[in-house]
């Protein structure tokens, strides 16, 4: 029986409409890549404009809002935890008094899932992020 994986990035679409009247410095795309038999890597890639950046996965107790990736769906189970594919710039932040990871220009967040159903499955990926530049955060 052929198994198919369908990826719906509902949260990204909702986030775009929330920024309809604001500048939106991050644009997202999504894909599902087969890693091995019944295992897929869900990847959300963000292209970040100009001098904007977003935060890595943290966590930051008393710090900025880290990026959060949540993947769910019927007929799949998570394999491990979300992770970043690409470069993260770690530096001490005077405002928060801690080392913080930021991503500029482009970044990909990923989560592996195992397909547990013989039927077609649907996966929803929800990403939340805070984008900042030298003057403001959204």
């Amino acid at each position: 029986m052929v198994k198919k994986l369908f990826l719906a990035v509902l949260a990204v679409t909702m986030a775009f409409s929330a920024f309809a009247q604001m500048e939106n410095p991050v644009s997202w795309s999504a894909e599902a890549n087969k890693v091995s038999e019944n295992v897929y890597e869900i990847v959300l890639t963000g292209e970040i404009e100009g001098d904007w950046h977003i935060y890595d996965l943290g966590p930051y107790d008393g710090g900025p809002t880290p990026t959060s990736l949540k993947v769910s769906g019927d007929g799949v189970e998570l394999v491990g935890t979300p992770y970043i594919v690409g470069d993260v710039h770690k530096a001490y932040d005077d405002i928060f008094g801690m080392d913080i990871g930021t991503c500029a220009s482009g970044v990909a967040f990923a989560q592996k899932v195992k397909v547990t159903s013989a039927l077609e499955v649907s996966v929803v990926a929800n990403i939340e992020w805070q984008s900042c530049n030298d003057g403001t955060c959204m």
Side-chain angles (χ1 to χ4, degrees), residues 26-44:
V26 184
S27 59
W28 294 95
S29 61
E31 63 184 340
N33 302 312
K34 188 170 186 172
V35 175
S36 63
E37 187 65 31
N38 297 332
V39 177
Y40 292 82
E41 180 182 54
I42 308 302
V43 181
L44 276 67

Side-chain angles (χ1 to χ4, degrees), residues 74-98:
D74 293 329
V76 297
E77 64 183 41
L78 300 180
V79 177
T81 58
Y83 54 94
I84 295 178
V85 179
D87 296 329
V88 175
H89 174 74
K90 292 269 189 181
Y92 185 80
D93 186 291
D94 291 326
I95 294 172
F96 293 112
M98 65 179 77

Side-chain angles (χ1 to χ4, degrees), residues 19-65:
F19 285 121
Q21 296 185 12
M22 302 173 85
E23 179 179 8
N24 185 9
V26 184
S27 59
W28 294 95
S29 61
E31 63 184 340
N33 302 312
K34 188 170 186 172
V35 175
S36 63
E37 187 65 31
N38 297 332
V39 177
Y40 292 82
E41 180 182 54
I42 308 302
V43 181
L44 276 67
T45 302
E47 294 298 324
I48 305 167
E49 294 178 6
D51 63 348
W52 291 88
H53 65 269
I54 64 175
Y55 296 102
D56 67 0
L57 295 167
Y60 298 114
D61 188 25
T65 303

